[in-house]
Amino acid sequence: MENGNHHSANGLAKPSKTTGKAITCRAAVVHGPGEPFVLEEILVEPPQKLEVRIKILLTSICHTDLSAWKGENESQQAYPRILGHEASGIVESVGEGVTDLEEGDYVVPIFNGECGACEYCKRVQTNICTRYGVNPMMKVMESDGRSRFWAQDGKPIYHFLNTSTFSEYSVLQSACVVKVDPQLASNPKILTLFSCGVSTGVGAAWNTANVQPGSTVAIFGLGAVGLAVAEGARARGASKIIGVDINPSKFSKGRAMGVTDFINPTELEKPLHERIREMTKGGVDYSFECAGNLDVLREAFLSTHEGWGFTVILGIHPTPRMLPIHPMELFVGRGIAGSVFGGFKGKTQLPNFAKECVQGVVDLEKFITHELPFEKINEAFQLLVDGESLRCLLHV
């Protein structure tokens, strides 16, 4: 058993010291709903067949982590657990059968994997993977039903969303690890954003909605995902991008991302969708619901233009309530669809998307609003709770 503090110049544990052995390292462990993260020494097992162990360089916090930390969905709770699903890292070692990754590769973990072999992966119409797709119930590794994380007392610590990035080292299915161009590795801060928020938002605009030049867009909820939608719509040449949020402080951030008009629904004397229809001669071409609120979703749907309006659902909806749309409302030509990970197939399509972004098609630096050391993870969560941060990077 080796301590993960044996590092080479690039921050990676020396292979001769750690390959095939358990690593002792720090992880931020949550022991119950809403309880503070505890930074503790854990054991990380070596990767098994088709698995990869990576050294986490940077990780960031998303609203999905916030929801899981609060334990909002009881059926998905599991403790103790290592949360986190946005990160950049370096491959420390690979398990049997892994051929597309090797020690020293710069990588991005993804919660929505791509095995490349299942019926879904072989179809161009979807980015869902039957084996390693997004699964909030996932607590252990798929191959043997065991965890790769262990507390010092010998008890298992559960995995989260195929990733568990709030740890100095993590073990993932190789299907959930994307190799990036070494030239992009000079900026691991930017790479971290590709794990979830930016890819989800920009991809929703580019892939799911296929926003066209000169079109009109409304975005409901201006968190990191909503603002990534705005950045994606701006890059595609949308003529009007309406941002909707009850927090006015989001408007200045939105303007930098391409949002042209802002609406605070609490200040309106008429239904939100009516105001948007007035502003856009009958409704927007595309609306994006990023709030996880069914009442907001209905407003987003009704804000689109009859005949061709299209609504994309990005918010996570923990409520058991059903879709707030009558079937007959679809007969006037409006459409609606959900989007997971922006429609990107992670292993095969994310590397090219990363290149486009780094070349300036999408400006990513603006999404990083805070940076903190790993041990201040509780402060980082509070920044998100208070609506202060878009992405707070934790230096692991």
Side-chain angles (χ1 to χ4, degrees), residues 18 34 41 68 111 114 149 154 182 186 191 217 228 249 254 258 323 327 339 359:
T18 59
E41 295 273 305
F111 64 87
E114 181 187 356
F149 303 122
S186 61
L191 292 183
V217 171
S249 70
L323 204 62
S339 180
Q359 288 167 0

Side-chain angles (χ1 to χ4, degrees), residues 199 202-211 236 339 341-345 349 353:
S199 301
V202 176
W206 290 7
N207 302 325
T208 313
N210 191 18
V211 170
R236 280 290 176 92
S339 180
F341 197 51
F344 285 113
K345 287 181 180 285
Q349 296 178 338
F353 172 60

Side-chain angles (χ1 to χ4, degrees), residues 227-282:
L227 291 175
V229 171
E231 186 70 18
R234 179 202 60 75
R236 280 290 176 92
S239 61
K240 183 183 285 287
I241 303 173
I242 302 170
V244 180
D245 205 292
I246 58 174
N247 182 352
S249 70
K250 298 289 182 70
F251 295 168
S252 59
K253 295 172 183 174
R255 189 166 286 108
M257 309 287 185
V259 179
T260 58
D261 301 84
F262 299 92
I263 300 176
N264 184 340
T266 63
E267 298 175 352
L268 292 179
E269 296 180 356
K270 61 176 65 177
L272 177 56
H273 69 270
E274 290 186 11
R275 177 66 186 121
I276 292 175
R277 286 184 190 177
E278 288 175 357
M279 296 170 65
T280 55
K281 298 180 181 179

Side-chain angles (χ1 to χ4, degrees), residues 39-78:
L39 219 60
E40 49 191 81
E41 295 273 305
I42 67 162
L43 298 179
V44 182
E45 290 184 354
Q48 302 302 306
K49 185 176 181 180
L50 297 179
E51 295 174 2
V52 180
R53 185 162 62 186
I54 66 175
K55 161 65 180 166
I56 303 294
L57 299 175
L58 292 152
T59 187
S60 54
I61 302 167
C62 167
H63 268 94
T64 304
D65 299 310
L66 188 61
S67 175
W69 171 63
K70 291 178 179 177
E72 290 179 346
N73 188 318
E74 287 189 19
S75 67
Q76 297 173 8
Q77 291 183 9

